[in-house]
């Protein structure tokens, strides 16, 4: 399957295994991933955030319940909330989630904004788990004719070492651990030296016992900087 589907499938597999109840997709674009997540019945709250409100609105109708959903009243109700906002800004409504996904977004931020993003997601939202995907620049050697970035709006593309060093610092600063993986394999001979086409970091919050309440009490502010576009 195409790479964008493989990235979303990675998230779906994680959800199947870990059964998060509250999930937010940052940089949700036209809600493609949210539409797939909607069918996972363990999820009670599904949120999406994108800086581009028009793109979010374009196809969000498909997130509305289908008539068959009403025929299964034994299932818990799912709530969907779509926001326009920037991942560099805090919003109290997105704190305390079980899973934050961020697929092919960070490379669209300046490095200064990546710093803000890290503080917002890992320091403020403090979810139990975070999945981040971004291009692996080492893989670009396999794209004939690509000399710059894969996309003109990318502000950077990281090697595995660069992604790793950013992720390790985030973990130290905010008490998370991370595992590295990816999707889009090179040929077996090249996999080791080049890595995956999209690199993925899966983060888990450490010291989960009482940190949820402490983290929420610590910051004390209940800022709402995002615009609620739709709630279903
Ligand atoms: N996550 C989707 C996917 O898996 O296909 C879309 C990825 S698209 C390459 C990047 C998305 O990030 C765009 O929809 C863009 O509007 C959004 N974006 C860029 N900067 C953002 C920011 N500061 N805050 C929130 N979303 C942002």
């Amino acid at each position: 399957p195409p790479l964008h589907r493989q990235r979303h499938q990675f998230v779906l597999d994680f959800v199947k295994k870990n059964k998060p109840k509250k999930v937010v997709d940052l940089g949700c674009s036209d809600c493609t991933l949210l539409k797939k997540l909607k069918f996972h019945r363990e999820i009670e709250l599904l949120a999406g955030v994108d800086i581009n409100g028009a793109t979010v609105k374009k196809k969000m109708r498909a997130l509305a319940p289908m008539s068959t959903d009403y025929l299964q009243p034994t299932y818990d109700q799912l709530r969907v909330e779509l926001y326009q906002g920037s991942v560099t800004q805090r919003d109290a409504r997105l704190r305390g989630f079980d899973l934050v996904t961020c697929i092919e977004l960070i490379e669209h931020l300046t490095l200064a904004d990546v710093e803000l993003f890290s503080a917002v997601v890992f320091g403020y939202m403090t979810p139990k788990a975070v999945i981040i995907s971004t291009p692996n620049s080492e893989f670009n050697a396999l794209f004939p004719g690509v000399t710059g970035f894969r996309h003109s709006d990318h502000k950077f593309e990281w090697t595995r070492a660069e992604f790793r060093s950013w992720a390790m610092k985030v973990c130290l600063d905010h008490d998370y651990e991370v595992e590295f993986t990816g999707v889009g394999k090179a040929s077996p001979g090249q996999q080791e030296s080049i890595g995956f086409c999209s690199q993925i970091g899966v983060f888990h919050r450490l010291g989960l016992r009482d940190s949820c309440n402490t983290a929420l009490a610590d910051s004390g502010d209940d800022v709402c900087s995002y615009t609620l576009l739709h709630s279903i």
Side-chain angles (χ1 to χ4, degrees), residues 20-230:
K21 290 194 166 75
K22 295 182 179 188
V23 181
V24 55
D25 186 28
L26 302 179
C28 64
S29 190
D30 61 2
C31 306
T32 306
L33 178 57
L34 293 175
K35 282 175 215 158
K36 293 175 182 165
L37 286 169
K38 170 187 146 152
F39 297 102
H40 290 262
R41 298 286 177 178
E42 291 85 7
I43 300 178
E44 294 166 6
L45 176 59
L46 194 52
V49 179
D50 202 284
I51 201 165
N52 187 337
T55 311
V56 174
K57 281 186 187 161
K58 236 189 281 175
K59 297 183 188 164
M60 69 184 180
R61 273 166 196 282
L63 282 166
M66 299 181 296
S67 53
T68 50
D69 291 334
Y70 295 108
L71 300 174
Q72 300 175 318
T74 51
Y75 284 119
D76 285 337
Q77 294 286 317
L78 166 68
R79 186 176 170 80
V80 182
E81 294 176 354
L82 301 173
Y83 296 94
Q84 196 228 312
S86 173
V87 295
T88 56
Q89 291 190 307
R90 301 164 159 214
D91 191 295
R93 291 167 290 188
L94 296 180
R95 307 192 74 198
F97 275 62
D98 300 306
L99 173 64
V100 167
T101 57
C102 188
I103 306 304
E104 305 294 283
L105 164 62
I106 60 170
E107 66 277 6
H108 294 268
L109 306 175
T110 62
L111 289 175
D113 278 350
V114 172
E115 290 302 304
L116 295 174
F117 162 86
S118 312
V120 167
V121 172
F122 296 93
Y124 181 77
M125 293 170 65
T126 60
K128 283 187 190 149
V130 183
I131 299 176
I132 295 188
S133 90
T134 192
N136 164 21
S137 66
E138 292 167 87
F139 200 94
N140 291 358
L142 300 185
F143 297 136
V146 171
T147 47
F149 294 145
R150 294 182 198 175
H151 190 283
S152 59
D153 188 51
H154 287 179
K155 307 297 188 294
F156 61 87
E157 287 175 359
W158 279 339
T159 62
R160 284 171 293 174
E162 287 167 324
F163 183 50
R164 187 175 287 268
S165 94
W166 169 77
M168 300 297 263
K169 180 165 187 306
V170 159
C171 288
L172 275 178
D173 288 351
H174 302 290
D175 208 21
Y176 278 77
E177 62 183 4
V178 61
E179 280 169 76
F180 299 98
T181 176
V183 295
K185 279 191 173 159
S187 64
Q190 291 172 310
Q191 180 64 28
E192 187 77 346
S193 62
I194 281 179
F196 291 99
C197 186
S198 284
Q199 45 186 345
I200 296 177
V202 181
F203 300 76
H204 287 278
R205 202 171 79 210
L206 295 169
L208 265 177
R209 281 173 306 282
D210 56 358
S211 55
C212 183
N213 295 335
T214 348
L216 288 173
D218 272 353
S219 85
D221 61 332
D222 53 357
V223 57
C224 292
S225 60
Y226 299 169
T227 305
L228 182 65
L229 296 173
H230 202 61

Side-chain angles (χ1 to χ4, degrees), residues 6-17:
Q6 291 185 48
R7 288 191 289 258
H8 290 174
Q9 190 58 48
F10 182 89
V11 172
L12 298 174
D13 291 343
F14 182 94
V15 165
K16 258 181 235 160
K17 189 162 165 240

